[in-house]
Amino acid sequence: MKKHNFYAGPSILPEFTIEQTAEAVKDFAGTGLSLMEISHRSKEFVAVMEEAQQLFKYLLHIPDGYSVLFLGGGASTQFAMIPFNLFKKKAAYLNTGAWSKKAIKEAKLFGEVDVVASSEDKLFNYIPKNYTIPEDADYFHITTNNTIYGTEIKEDLNSPIPLVADMSSDIFSRPVDVSKYALIYGGAQKNLAPAGVTFVIIKNDIVGQSGREIPTMMNYQTHIDKGSMFNTPPVLPVFAALQTLKWLKNNGGIEKMNKVNVRKANLLYDEIDRNQLFRAAVVEPNDRSLMNICFVMNQGYENLEKPFFDFTTGRGMVGIKGHRSVGGFRASTYNALPLESVGALIDTMQEFEKKNL
Ligand SMILES: *Cc1c(COP(=O)(O)O)cnc(C)c1O
């Protein structure tokens, strides 16, 4: 049976990425060697690294003065690396969920953290508005897409201080005005590549101002200077990321991808709003994520949660269980998820409604 892959991360990748990577694992760039057994300093791999950086810049229209880094350690290492490099006396954070909280926890190791607003009062089911970004903080950190709760900040904020964004789960899903950010980062395993590589888009002139001694590997300058080749980069995930970037380019880029993503999300949210058995976890349409669509059983139908889950499993759907901290369901609709899979889920919801009403 065809599987419909709604996992939140690691998650669905384009078939093109999987096939090209599988091929390179056997024979990389006609070298007769596996991608896994060749030097990262070989001219073949250096070309992969450079093209991946160039395509990042091309697809996201990254202005001059920024570097694209491919690092290890996951987005979670960035939670500490950001304050290590940028924190002087105070940092500002927006608390929109579990990932924001983890970032805040690391920043607090460096000094005063001003949490400007939080949506924790309603289990993070909305994006706080009408807060003031303190101009005396060194930077303002946001999580644009809250993978667990299904909320998303879909506009690029105007920040009077350097804006830092965790875009782990919405990078390449919508156009982004990179010039508004000092730093954008994320784990690649949601919308780009297999786990193991972390991307960082960084404005070159924000580093080197903390007045702090920084361990070499934790210092952005090291990786900017060496083009992410200071130490051995995660070779296979970088190769796979390049394939996804090529696929994006060949399929109309981010602007086209965004149109399809909006269509997929609207179809599914419309069905959740219409179907009597379900309700959306996030009420405010503007705050609803394009990438992680969270829903729960409507009042009075809570007992149907397990039966619905089993019903979808029988239809080939995988990964739609909500995060263990919130329950319910979460359908992740990343770039590589075909429209057809969203259609299949909607059909399943409608059939289940007919059976149970
Ligand atoms: C998955 C995720 C993370 C954690 O990424 P790791 O690479 O596992 O450290 C951080 N932030 C967001 C928004 C995520 O979705």
Side-chain angles (χ1 to χ4, degrees):
M1 192 199 326
K2 183 174 170 20
K3 296 281 185 199
H4 299 288
N5 183 354
F6 293 100
Y7 271 117
S11 38
I12 189 165
L13 290 170
E15 262 173 50
F16 177 80
T17 301
I18 311 258
E19 277 162 16
Q20 296 293 309
T21 307
E23 181 54 39
V25 165
K26 291 188 210 145
D27 180 6
F28 171 47
T31 56
L33 299 172
S34 168
L35 173 62
M36 300 188 295
E37 53 177 12
I38 188 167
S39 169
H40 61 294
R41 312 240 175 242
S42 64
K43 70 174 190 320
E44 290 84 2
F45 184 75
V46 169
V48 167
M49 179 58 97
E50 286 176 0
E51 193 180 357
Q53 290 165 346
Q54 275 160 18
L55 272 181
F56 241 80
K57 291 183 177 171
Y58 169 84
L59 288 163
L60 284 164
H61 313 295
I62 300 177
D64 288 346
Y66 286 77
S67 298
V68 175
L69 312 177
F70 294 115
L71 309 176
S76 301
T77 298
Q78 294 306 307
F79 297 161
M81 201 158 157
I82 287 158
F84 230 133
N85 285 264
L86 305 185
F87 195 110
K88 283 173 261 178
K89 40 184 207 322
K90 184 169 106 173
Y93 279 70
L94 186 66
N95 182 13
T96 54
W99 297 118
S100 300
K101 281 172 82 168
K102 288 186 177 176
I104 290 166
K105 177 169 180 261
E106 300 303 299
K108 281 185 173 166
L109 297 173
F110 294 81
E112 185 188 347
V113 174
D114 184 349
V115 179
V116 299
S118 166
S119 47
E120 194 160 16
D121 58 337
K122 292 190 180 164
L123 204 81
F124 300 114
N125 71 0
Y126 69 103
I127 298 289
K129 319 246 161 37
N130 302 319
Y131 50 83
T132 313
I133 305 168
E135 297 200 21
D136 61 342
D138 302 316
Y139 62 89
F140 178 47
H141 180 284
I142 58 173
T143 312
T144 51
N145 187 62
N146 298 285
T147 324
I148 297 174
Y149 311 92
T151 61
E152 185 176 12
I153 302 170
K154 284 176 269 192
E155 309 83 44
D156 302 307
L157 303 182
N158 291 311
S159 170
I161 54 176
L163 182 61
V164 174
D166 177 354
M167 292 197 189
S168 291
S169 50
D170 61 347
I171 190 77
F172 294 118
S173 69
R174 63 182 164 92
V176 168
D177 180 354
V178 175
S179 71
K180 290 196 168 176
Y181 300 83
L183 195 156
I184 296 170
Y185 69 98
Q189 67 275 19
K190 312 275 164 61
N191 214 6
L192 184 63
V197 63
T198 311
F199 63 85
V200 177
I201 302 163
I202 185 169
K203 202 169 181 212
N204 295 330
D205 63 14
I206 62 157
V207 291
Q209 296 173 23
S210 72
R212 170 183 298 117
E213 295 279 349
I214 305 173
T216 310
M217 276 298 285
M218 297 295 278
N219 193 335
Y220 288 121
Q221 196 67 58
T222 304
H223 305 290
I224 293 172
D225 290 347
K226 298 287 181 189
S228 301
M229 290 282 217
F230 171 76
N231 71 322
T232 318
V235 169
L236 191 137
V238 170
F239 179 90
L242 172 59
Q243 308 315 309
T244 303
L245 296 168
K246 286 182 176 174
W247 174 83
L248 273 168
K249 188 178 173 208
N250 293 335
N251 285 281
I254 300 178
E255 289 74 12
K256 173 74 193 306
M257 203 51 66
N258 181 245
K259 288 211 175 81
V260 181
N261 288 334
V262 169
R263 178 132 183 259
K264 288 189 294 191
N266 283 345
L267 284 169
L268 191 47
Y269 281 119
D270 283 351
E271 174 59 19
I272 295 165
D273 290 341
R274 185 209 62 78
N275 194 310
Q276 289 191 54
L277 298 183
F278 304 99
R279 68 185 162 82
V282 178
V283 177
E284 171 59 41
N286 265 340
D287 294 350
R288 287 177 170 179
S289 170
L290 289 183
M291 295 281 98
N292 309 102
I293 297 176
C294 296
F295 56 104
V296 294
M297 300 313 299
N298 230 338
Q299 248 183 354
Y301 299 108
E302 291 86 349
N303 60 325
L304 291 177
E305 180 165 315
K306 171 93 175 39
F308 178 66
F309 182 76
D310 293 341
F311 194 65
T312 61
T313 306
R315 299 293 159 95
M317 283 160 210
V318 290
I320 72 156
K321 231 190 196 110
H323 189 270
R324 59 191 184 279
S325 65
V326 289
F329 302 98
R330 169 175 54 176
S332 297
T333 51
Y334 296 118
N335 287 344
L337 184 87
L339 187 61
E340 179 205 334
S341 289
V342 171
L345 177 55
I346 291 171
D347 289 347
T348 306
M349 292 166 77
Q350 293 178 348
E351 256 183 77
F352 192 73
E353 185 189 36
K354 281 209 192 87
K355 263 181 45 161
N356 287 282
L357 273 191

